[in-house]
Amino acid sequence: METIIQTIHDIGNLLGQKMYADAFSMTTGLLSDTIYTYLLIPLLLGIGIFYTFKIKGGQITNIGHAIKLISKPAEDKNSISPFKAFTISAASHIGTGNIVGVAAAVSIGGPGAVFWMWVTALIGGASSFVENTLGQVFKERNPDGTFKGGPAFYMEKALGKPKLAALFSVVIAVVYGINFNAMQANTIAAGFNSSFGLDKKIVAFVLIILAGLIIFGGLRRIADVTSLLVPFMAIIYMAVVLFIVIKNIALIPHMFGLIFEGAFSLKAGFGGLFGTAILNGIRRGLFSNEAGMGAVPNASAVADVSHPAKQGLIQALGVYLDTILVCSATAFVVILSGEGIYASDLKGLEITQAALANEVGSWSNYFLTFCVLMFAFSSIVGNYYYGENNILKLNFGKNALNIYRVIVLIAVILGCVGDFSIVWNTGDVFMGIMAVINLVVLIFLGKISVGVYNDYMKQLKEGKDPVFNPEDVKELKPYLDKITAWNKR
């Protein structure tokens, strides 16, 4: 509390000195810290734990089953498969946060912060299941046979709050499609400028050509691109990490010792659960999986499956792929590089660069630049689709969607050539608000997903390939007239 009061005092002094930009930056930083620390973290953990009990840890016990489900084809050959829908969401949340955010979390909270990252991911899988199952239940069918859906759809249909749904759509379209894409573009341009001396304007030109070709191609082209790009970038990055782990195989027991010992030390345990380590870890590392945040259901709702719980379980698997696999990969490299690197004055990307260079040589800077390009570009495509889905929800028409696409490309250009720290801070605040809204909605509507899960498991235990009939789920009785995408089953 004293820190908050002091920050408010400092903001007042900056305003008195007419340093408005600095005052705005400090204000957004204060709002972001307050939202994440006192609202978002308790909500994420509380709701995750509650629904973990309600579905009896199903997000964990069904991991093997989810792996089998992800390879299933779409029910209709003209629709989007579960795997392609999964890669759209993975493209968005597997981004630079997996490289930069995790390094920052280890630097601030020590190796023990990684343990709490794992715990949060395991719990967050339940929140992910709930929101993505809701997105599937209340999705809508497009004229071309594909689907659209997400939090705005279940807020309007199940919660009966069309104004809240519209507000949510506007916020997510601005934050993901514009703010975050500007920042991803900024990261790409800065990386190529630093590593290759490439002019940022040239990077901007190439990016808008590539991004434009994809986003103007619509949902199917986005799905086709992400289904190729996401596995490729993950395999390349994980291969290098695996080499480093094997190279340091004798140090692996020591590394895990640091993680588990540090998890319950004052720095990572107390500080992590109630202070800087868990705050920064969740905001930049742990939040990279976006479980419960209200973003991923926009992508997962497009999957054509026979039962909503199938995509719910697949998206819970995505949390583990993102956090326990990709984020842990970065954490392992950073920890294995030694305290002299992760506890130094280096920041974010610099830590990962130094760690890789220490393990495989200076060529790794070029490799990391390539990884940043893959991760950040895939995020631009995935983030854009979140925006497109919500622009369509607002029913502004085809011209509005094309205007939005142009605005997104302009944001990419400006992101490449400008300093977007203020935009990032503002986006952080609105993302926090967006997440709080979605999590509160999950408190009221989560019982629907629990009912759908129970129906799915009942059919599975009977030896069936579960097929969804809304009338079989008692929690859906009040909403049968709002469920329109499943009427052809």
Side-chain angles (χ1 to χ4, degrees):
M1 183 59 70
E2 290 180 6
T3 303
I4 295 176
I5 294 172
Q6 181 60 49
T7 303
I8 294 173
H9 178 73
D10 292 341
I11 292 171
N13 288 337
L14 289 171
L15 289 173
Q17 298 171 35
K18 297 183 179 181
M19 299 173 67
Y20 300 120
D22 290 340
F24 181 78
S25 180
M26 188 172 286
T27 300
T28 53
L30 175 63
L31 286 172
S32 182
D33 287 347
T34 302
I35 292 169
Y36 280 73
T37 304
Y38 300 107
L39 286 175
L40 209 42
I41 293 175
L43 278 172
L44 274 172
L45 294 177
I47 290 173
I49 291 170
F50 177 76
Y51 285 117
T52 294
F53 279 105
K54 295 298 287 185
I55 63 173
K56 300 174 183 175
Q59 81 276 19
I60 301 171
T61 59
N62 286 297
I63 288 177
H65 179 61
I67 292 172
K68 294 178 182 177
L69 290 175
I70 202 170
S71 62
K72 298 289 185 182
E75 294 293 306
D76 183 333
K77 65 180 181 179
N78 294 318
S79 295
I80 305 299
S81 70
F83 175 71
K84 287 187 175 182
F86 171 79
T87 60
I88 294 173
S89 61
S92 175
H93 60 68
I94 299 181
T96 52
N98 297 76
I99 297 174
V100 180
V102 175
V106 173
S107 175
I108 295 169
V114 179
F115 174 82
W116 297 113
M117 177 174 74
W118 294 336
V119 171
T120 306
L122 290 172
I123 294 170
S127 305
S128 180
F129 171 82
V130 168
E131 65 176 351
N132 286 290
T133 300
L134 280 172
Q136 273 284 325
V137 170
F138 294 101
K139 66 185 180 182
E140 295 178 359
R141 189 182 296 271
N142 293 316
D144 64 355
T146 59
F147 297 98
K148 60 184 177 182
F153 292 78
Y154 56 70
M155 286 177 191
E156 179 175 334
K157 291 184 172 186
L159 201 62
K161 302 289 184 184
K163 291 182 179 178
L164 181 65
L167 173 64
F168 192 90
S169 290
V170 171
V171 171
I172 200 169
V174 172
V175 171
Y176 275 86
I178 299 173
N179 285 38
F180 288 171
N181 274 352
M183 287 309 304
Q184 297 291 349
N186 187 274
T187 302
I188 294 172
F192 273 85
N193 181 257
S194 174
S195 297
F196 302 103
L198 200 60
D199 191 306
K200 292 182 179 180
K201 293 177 182 176
I202 295 176
V203 178
F205 176 76
V206 174
L207 277 182
I208 62 167
I209 295 297
L210 293 175
L213 287 172
I214 296 170
I215 68 177
F216 274 93
L219 172 58
R220 285 198 174 91
R221 187 174 299 172
I222 291 171
D224 288 342
V225 170
T226 56
S227 65
L228 293 174
L229 189 59
V230 169
F232 176 74
M233 71 183 190
I235 290 170
I236 292 293
Y237 188 63
M238 294 303 297
V240 172
V241 172
L242 182 61
F243 170 78
I244 293 172
V245 169
I246 294 173
K247 174 174 172 281
N248 293 278
I249 194 72
L251 296 176
I252 300 304
H254 176 65
M255 179 191 72
F256 279 104
L258 290 174
I259 291 173
F260 289 109
E261 179 185 352
F264 300 99
S265 70
L266 183 64
K267 186 175 183 183
F270 181 84
L273 286 174
F274 303 103
T276 56
I278 199 68
L279 174 62
N280 285 276
I282 287 179
R283 223 157 89 182
R284 290 290 177 263
L286 314 189
F287 274 11
S288 67
N289 61 56
E290 297 177 352
M293 304 282 284
V296 176
N298 292 278
S300 66
V302 308
D304 187 13
V305 290
S306 67
H307 198 289
K310 287 185 174 181
Q311 200 64 26
L313 291 172
I314 289 172
Q315 297 304 149
L317 179 66
V319 173
Y320 309 136
L321 169 68
D322 177 276
T323 303
I324 295 180
L325 193 60
V326 182
C327 286
S328 293
T330 300
F332 290 169
V333 172
V334 169
I335 295 170
L336 287 170
S337 70
E339 194 172 359
I341 290 178
Y342 67 75
S344 66
D345 292 332
L346 297 175
K347 305 292 183 184
L349 184 61
E350 296 173 344
I351 297 172
T352 311
Q353 286 176 327
L356 281 170
N358 182 68
E359 296 297 329
V360 296
S362 59
W363 67 269
S364 63
N365 284 336
Y366 301 110
F367 168 75
L368 196 59
T369 299
F370 174 75
C371 287
V372 167
L373 169 63
M374 292 291 100
F375 282 37
F377 183 74
S378 70
S379 289
I380 288 174
V381 176
N383 289 345
Y384 160 76
Y385 181 70
Y386 290 169
E388 175 184 296
N389 185 58
N390 284 276
I391 292 296
L392 291 174
K393 175 68 180 72
L394 292 168
N395 295 317
F396 287 152
K398 181 70 174 178
N399 289 336
L401 181 57
N402 285 328
I403 291 170
Y404 178 71
R405 288 167 171 167
V406 172
I407 292 173
V408 169
L409 294 179
I410 291 172
V412 169
I413 295 172
L414 295 177
C416 286
V417 300
D419 177 6
F420 269 66
S421 57
I422 290 179
V423 174
W424 176 261
N425 289 339
T426 306
D428 233 10
V429 172
F430 281 102
M431 184 180 183
I433 293 171
M434 182 187 85
V436 169
I437 292 173
N438 186 61
L439 287 166
V440 171
V441 169
L442 295 187
I443 295 174
F444 293 97
L445 299 183
K447 62 183 180 181
I448 293 174
S449 294
V450 174
V452 172
Y453 175 80
N454 291 334
D455 174 67
Y456 181 80
M457 295 307 297
K458 177 177 177 291
Q459 293 189 51
L460 203 62
K461 289 175 181 176
E462 292 172 352
K464 301 176 182 177
D465 180 9
V467 175
F468 182 54
N469 181 352
E471 295 182 358
D472 292 338
V473 181
K474 68 177 185 299
E475 288 84 357
L476 287 174
K477 297 297 184 184
Y479 312 108
L480 292 178
D481 61 327
K482 304 293 185 181
I483 300 172
T484 58
W486 299 91
N487 53 10
K488 293 184 179 180
R489 297 294 174 193

